Amino acid sequence: MSHHTISVQGLGFVYPDGTRALEGVSFEVGHGEAIAVVGANGAGKSTLLLLLTGILEPAAGEIAIGEIRLTKKTLNAIRQRLGMVFQDPDDQLFMTTVFEDVAFGLRNMGLAEDEVQRRADAALGAVGIPHLRERPPFKLSAGEKRAAAIATVLAMAPDVLLLDEPSSALDPRARRRLIGLLNGFSHTKIVTSHDMDLVLELCPRTIILQQGRVLRDGPTGRLLADAALMTEAGLEPTQSIVHRRYGEQLRRGRR
Ligand SMILES: Nc1ncnc2c1ncn2[C@@H]1O[C@H](COP(=O)(O)OP(=O)(O)O)[C@@H](O)[C@H]1O
Ligand SMILES: [Mg+2]
């Protein structure tokens, strides 16, 4: 099923104020792969996701989802395949109840009401919040909001999930639940994050962006364990790697 692949070639983007946010970014994502995009603030992570979903239009380069090149003509077809979970759930939730938010996109697709109900309830079940169905989204906790935002996207049955900093603003328990949830999805995924432990658990491969360019693209474990590389990229090493190193030092010290 090659249609769940992503190809990005020579992608460049400049904001109207002249900020060069991305330059010469190229990579391929295989079917079912989970990829992390990491980098310091302003490295271009969110811009990349906005380009992939066609919310922004590239200044240079090409994007293809499966065999379809992203153009104005193919934008609608491509958007049906991509599900974007924005960094701020308040950008995704705007109806009076969680159910209405999840149903919104489905109704826009012109689905019959029983199908809308079925798919919305299935999505709420998949993210573990059927009990929040009738609650107003603005009254939910950060973790509940994130789950609701993911449900609005899952209900649309996308092939590819794009998640922008999904664990930001979550407490440890909500974060742990989120990691379990995302690990259970077989979708092709691109996840931007500052949370290196989440990246390590969720994404076998990582792309490091630095000032709008690809600094490195490789196996997550190897990149995150490279302290010099992490410092160069302006990233913190993962707590799990720090603990492992500390444990090794302790063991060596005892010998
Ligand atoms: N709306 C905007 N107008 C002008 N510059 C922007 C805008 N949004 C982001 N930028 C700039 O583009 C660059 C990349 O930003 P962004 O993609 O948000 O980075 P990240 O998500 O990695 O923090 C940064 O230099 C940022 O300041
Ligand atoms: Mg961002």
Side-chain angles (χ1 to χ4, degrees):
M1 284 201 283
S2 64
H3 57 287
H4 300 182
T5 60
I6 300 167
S7 166
V8 173
Q9 292 303 327
L11 195 62
F13 183 78
V14 184
Y15 279 101
D17 68 355
T19 305
R20 200 169 281 278
L22 288 180
E23 210 171 341
V25 170
S26 300
F27 60 88
E28 308 265 337
V29 181
H31 174 79
E33 255 195 293
I35 295 206
V37 175
V38 305
N41 275 334
K45 304 178 294 293
S46 297
T47 304
L48 175 62
L49 296 191
L50 294 171
L51 285 162
L52 287 173
T53 45
I55 293 169
L56 298 176
E57 210 178 316
E62 283 190 3
I63 295 168
I65 308 299
E67 65 289 359
I68 304 180
R69 236 190 85 197
L70 177 59
T71 63
K72 282 203 176 85
K73 270 193 187 152
T74 62
L75 185 59
N76 280 337
I78 285 200
R79 282 212 179 135
Q80 285 173 20
R81 297 175 160 200
L82 299 176
M84 168 90 159
V85 180
F86 290 92
Q87 180 170 359
D88 185 351
D90 292 336
D91 290 340
Q92 210 132 22
L93 305 170
F94 44 83
M95 302 294 279
T96 51
T97 67
V98 169
F99 175 81
E100 288 301 319
D101 260 319
V102 179
F104 180 82
L106 298 170
R107 291 196 177 120
N108 266 353
M109 283 166 75
L111 296 178
E113 190 54 27
D114 57 345
E115 180 71 0
V116 169
Q117 301 265 339
R118 194 188 63 72
R119 281 175 64 166
D121 282 327
L124 291 174
V127 301
I129 56 163
H131 55 290
L132 301 178
R133 195 180 190 273
E134 303 306 328
R135 295 271 296 277
F138 70 92
K139 286 192 178 164
L140 303 180
S141 74
E144 290 169 340
K145 275 189 192 177
R146 183 84 52 188
I150 293 172
T152 66
V153 169
L154 277 189
M156 307 295 286
D159 300 326
V160 177
L161 286 178
L162 307 175
L163 299 118
D164 200 1
E165 312 243 2
S167 65
S168 64
L170 297 193
D171 65 30
R173 214 163 123 211
R175 177 179 164 280
R176 179 53 40 207
R177 283 199 55 167
L178 174 82
I179 292 174
L181 180 66
L182 296 180
N183 251 333
F185 296 157
S186 55
H187 302 75
T188 303
K189 293 186 262 286
I190 299 186
V191 184
T192 78
S193 193
H194 275 123
D195 180 343
M196 293 303 133
D197 287 285
L198 172 139
V199 164
L200 198 58
E201 285 193 50
L202 220 51
C203 304
R205 177 177 155 208
T206 291
I207 293 173
I208 304 180
L209 289 182
Q210 186 187 44
Q211 294 175 7
R213 293 175 173 274
V214 175
L215 177 65
R216 284 286 282 281
D217 179 347
T220 300
R222 197 187 306 160
L223 298 196
L224 299 199
D226 184 338
L229 177 65
M230 296 296 281
T231 305
E232 185 188 356
L235 296 167
E236 292 272 327
T238 67
Q239 285 309 304
S240 46
I241 286 174
V242 168
H243 288 153
R244 203 158 66 218
R245 281 203 198 116
Y246 183 62
E248 279 162 12
Q249 279 165 11
L250 280 182
R251 276 195 299 282
R252 262 187 248 124
R254 282 205 197 103
R255 268 192 223 139

